[in-house]
Every structure is written in structure tokens, then in C-alpha cells.
Amino acid sequence: MIIVQKYGGSSLATAARIRNVAKKIVAFRRRKKGISLVIVVSAMGGTTDRLINLANMVSKSLQGRELDRLLATGEEVSSSLLALAIRSQGSSAISLTGAEAGVITDRAHTKAKILSLDTGRIREELKRGRIVIVAGFQGISDEGEITTLGRGASDLSAVALAKALDAEQCEIFSNVKGIYTADPSKVRAAKKISQISYDEALEMAGCGAQVMQGRAIELAKKFGIPLFTGSSFSKEKGTIICKEPIVEAPLVSNVTLNEAEAKVSIFRVLDRPGIAARIFAPIARAGINVDMIVQNVSKAGYTDLSFTVAIEELERTIKIAKKIARQIGAGNVGFDKDVARVSIIGLGMISHPGVAARMFSVLAKNGINIKMITTSEIKISTVVPKKDGKKALRAVHKEFIK
Ligand code: ASP
Ligand code: MG
């Protein structure tokens, strides 16, 4: 029987924390003799950001191949250190790079997709009785080049390995005790959730909650792999992300606040077939993720178009939007950084009408103006002034989470 465990950067941020994770792994191993352990690691907390900063300091145009070689070192360091720590505590362990672990990807540097997993080496090492530590977030292309899988993708490495190894369990450890009804550092009344569906967790990731990487949740959903999330610092039970909860789903299981987005508007856009495609295709080609698109009612053949992007993409987005606006004969391009997105997520919404109205009236009672609204079957997002974000979060949480 194989168990895959993934440890995030905060759990491995210092030598002491690495020793602590090693201790946990060794103790687990002694308790459960028959189980083979595959451990996937992130880089030590802050490392990937630091490496990207360094690269930006020496070059204005980062080249994917070199950047990937640079970033991959982060996970190589943490995997080796963890293997050393485990061995010094008396268990047998070996660290493997993504390439050595058989993670084969396409050639798209810095955002590679996993094409296949050749688990031969891992299985061999497990047979020798070793704990196998795999550097997450990285792989190798068919040309033998080191690739990385995108930010936060050591979660994805763990889920993919769990699937390929037919693992009994996939456990994701970080510095938080699980998934809460809202970020507990912002809402004191937030409660830990014992079980949540893949779809809710996906919406949460999309709404900016720091849960797990969205791609990893998607993959787990595709193969029906339950994900056990929890803290490496605590023995408390965490949250299971799985198909449908056994009990009846709550109306709202989670409230999120995202303060890292900006609103972009293109005014006086000709209301004609094909125009939206002409606007959003170049933005997508630039790798910018667009959210919450809203188009006003057409007046005299023209409409205004607004959407949100991550704040760090704002400058690039405006540049592209201005160019497109000129090409299609639209008016000005405006932006608003002073926004926050408050969302409610819950499977129970599917079968209970009136949830949106309840959310809007709570905001109204608190004197909070709504600038944009979007919905899905299990999510309602509102954009409000940034200064009202936390107040909105708390008021909405109080309304729906009892
Ligand atoms: N170290 C990588 C990052 O910071 C991958 C990960 O942590 O999941 O994005
Ligand atoms: Mg991470």
C-alpha cells in the first residue's frame, strides 16, 4: 500500500521545520510498517519568489529554459535536505528530482503539462524499503530539458503521482489546519470544514482562497482521488476534499475575500458579433487570466465591457486593452484598483433559490455598494469597494454560516 504526502513551503521553511517534518514521517513509518511512503516537497518557503526576483534583477526578458533550471533548484534543495534529515533519524530515504522520478512533460517552459509518469524508479526504491522524496513542481520534456509546471504546482505533482502509483491516500500538508468557512485570520467566527466537494474547492481556488492549486484539485476530481489537507504542525484532523459530502450540503460552505484583483473597463465598444473574441483572444494569448466579465446593456449600438484581472497583471492588461481598443475603434480604457471581491460558495445553492438576494440585502443593510456581480451554479461573486471588503466578508459570513 502506498501513501503520497506533500509538504508545502511553509512546512519546510527552516532547518528546524525540515527536521520536524522528518520526525513526523519517521514516526508515521514506524507506526505503519507495511505502508510505502512517497513524499512530494515544495521549495523552502519564499525560495521560488526569491529566485524569480533574482532573475528579474539580471535580465529584462526571462528565457523559459534558464528560468526553469533556476526555479527547479528550489525543490531539489528541500528534497535533499528532507532525505538527509530522515536518514539522520534512522530511516532509509532517497530524494529524486522530477526527471529521476519519471515526470515527463511537454516543452512549455514555466507552465508545462504532465504528459506521463514513468514510476519505475520510484517503485524500485520503495521495494528497497526506502522513503522516496520527490521534488515537486518539476519534470523533464521529451528533449531532456528541465521544465516547471506553474506556480503552486507541487500540489499537482502530488496528485499526479498518487494517481500513477495507485496510492491509497493523498495527503497535502501546509501551515493551515484545513479549509475554513472563511480565512480565520480575517473572520474570527470561521469554522473548520471536515469535508468539502471538489467543485466547491475549485471555486474557492478560483476566488482567490489560498487552499490548493486549482489544477491539482481538477486532476483529483477527474480521477476521484480524495485529498486530505491539514497542518504539518498539528495532529488535528484537517479537511477532506472529495466527491459529494455524505451529509446534505450546506447552502454556503465558504465565504472568500480577494483583495488582489483590479477592474478593467473598455468603453464604447461596438456591439457586434466577434468583438468580444477580438478583445479577449489577445489577452488570453498573453497568458492573462480574466475573470468576472460584465457587458452593459447596449446603447445605440455600443456597450461598455468590464472584467477583473489579478493586480500584478494590471499593467500588462491595460497595455493590451488600449491597443485592442484602438484597433476596434472603441473608446477609453479605464481601471479601478480600489476593489475587493467577496464570494459565497456552496453546493446547496443549486437547489435553494433566493441565496443571491439574501447576500445582496446583507450588503445593502451594511451600506456597501456592489460594483459587479457574477454567478455560477454554486458561487456568487460581488465586487465591492476595497475599503468595504473585510466588512462585507464578515457580514456575509455571519448571515450564512451558523
Ligand atoms: N515552489 C513552487 C512555487 O512556489 C511550487 C509550489 O510551491 O507548489 O510556486
Ligand atoms: Mg505551494
Side-chain angles (χ1 to χ4, degrees):
M1 185 164 105
I2 298 175
I3 285 182
V4 173
Q5 291 184 340
K6 181 250 165 178
Y7 290 89
S10 56
S11 302
L12 304 164
T14 62
R17 289 185 184 186
I18 291 176
R19 282 198 306 269
N20 171 59
V21 167
K23 205 168 122 195
K24 271 188 83 112
I25 292 169
V26 169
F28 183 97
R29 169 63 169 226
R30 296 213 167 112
R31 257 193 340 266
K32 309 207 169 163
K33 287 246 156 48
I35 291 176
S36 298
L37 273 177
V38 175
I39 310 291
V40 177
V41 292
S42 285
M44 294 170 76
T47 301
T48 310
D49 287 335
R50 207 185 62 241
L51 292 173
I52 292 173
N53 281 342
L54 269 174
N56 278 316
M57 281 160 72
V58 298
S59 164
K60 279 210 173 66
S61 55
L62 296 182
Q63 193 217 347
R65 176 184 188 272
E66 297 305 328
L67 191 59
D68 274 353
R69 294 176 67 83
L70 177 70
L71 297 189
T73 61
E75 272 70 9
E76 285 162 25
V77 167
S78 56
S79 60
S80 298
L81 287 173
L82 184 57
L84 286 168
I86 291 173
R87 293 175 76 124
S88 86
Q89 293 180 32
S91 274
S92 156
I94 183 170
S95 65
L96 300 176
T97 63
E100 288 165 342
V103 181
I104 315 295
T105 74
D106 64 15
R107 299 175 187 182
H109 282 295
T110 72
K111 46 176 185 291
K113 287 207 167 62
I114 299 175
L115 296 178
S116 64
L117 274 156
D118 177 359
T119 56
R121 174 76 188 271
I122 294 181
R123 288 183 194 277
E124 214 175 276
E125 300 294 349
L126 290 176
K127 244 184 235 147
R128 290 196 184 135
R130 290 174 168 163
I131 298 167
V132 179
I133 321 285
V134 179
F137 171 61
Q138 55 174 273
I140 190 163
S141 74
D142 62 346
E143 294 176 307
E145 298 277 23
I146 293 174
T147 53
T148 64
L149 310 172
R151 295 307 305 267
S154 46
D155 289 342
L156 184 72
S157 306
V159 175
L161 277 169
K163 164 69 187 161
L165 292 164
D166 206 7
E168 203 69 20
Q169 202 149 308
C170 185
E171 304 172 343
I172 311 285
F173 291 106
S174 66
N175 59 343
V176 291
K177 287 179 183 163
I179 298 176
Y180 284 72
T181 52
D183 182 341
S185 70
K186 293 179 186 136
V187 181
R188 225 182 307 140
K191 287 184 246 170
K192 196 167 66 191
I193 304 166
S194 60
Q195 263 190 32
I196 194 165
S197 67
Y198 295 118
D199 290 330
E200 286 166 307
L202 266 173
E203 291 279 15
M204 284 179 63
C207 287
Q210 305 287 324
V211 268
M212 267 183 68
Q213 197 216 25
R215 276 166 71 196
I217 302 169
E218 227 162 56
L219 194 68
K221 179 186 172 185
K222 182 170 163 192
F223 295 118
I225 301 167
L227 300 175
F228 292 74
T229 67
S231 165
S232 64
F233 303 101
S234 150
K235 289 206 167 91
E236 243 176 75
K237 262 217 171 85
T239 304
I240 306 172
I241 307 174
C242 54
K243 259 200 197 105
E244 229 95 299
I246 303 157
V247 289
E248 200 173 341
L251 198 58
V252 172
S253 50
N254 194 266
V255 188
T256 63
L257 169 67
N258 187 350
E259 295 177 298
E261 286 181 317
K263 177 180 156 192
V264 178
S265 302
I266 307 178
F267 299 105
R268 258 183 77 82
V269 176
L270 204 55
D271 192 8
R272 248 203 347 235
I275 289 285
R278 281 189 63 185
I279 291 174
F280 291 109
I283 295 175
R285 268 201 302 279
I288 297 169
N289 215 346
V290 167
D291 238 312
M292 289 196 80
I293 302 169
V294 175
Q295 183 180 326
N296 286 351
V297 180
S298 171
K299 274 188 279 224
Y302 290 95
T303 71
D304 300 335
L305 245 168
S306 297
F307 53 92
T308 58
V309 292
I311 210 126
E312 63 272 16
E313 304 281 19
L314 180 62
E315 239 174 89
R316 262 185 346 125
T317 309
I318 291 173
K319 234 191 228 159
I320 298 170
K322 281 191 170 154
K323 193 166 151 203
I324 306 165
R326 266 198 309 277
Q327 287 168 358
I328 60 173
N332 285 337
V333 173
F335 67 90
D336 184 358
K337 281 201 224 181
D338 217 9
V339 296
R341 169 155 42 149
V342 176
S343 313
I344 56 177
I345 295 152
L347 276 187
M349 263 180 231
I350 298 177
S351 48
H352 291 82
V355 179
R358 238 173 102 189
M359 178 180 188
F360 303 155
S361 65
V362 169
L363 295 175
K365 257 189 250 155
N366 283 274
I368 298 166
N369 185 34
I370 303 172
K371 297 178 175 224
M372 287 166 101
I373 300 167
T374 59
T375 65
S376 80
E377 242 189 343
I378 62 165
K379 177 199 73 188
I380 300 159
S381 282
T382 57
V383 169
V384 300
K386 196 169 241 161
K387 66 171 175 38
D388 294 330
K390 287 201 179 69
K391 185 172 152 198
L393 171 72
R394 289 184 193 125
V396 172
H397 188 272
K398 191 164 173 217
E399 170 73 18
F400 288 106
I401 312 278
K402 302 293 172 195

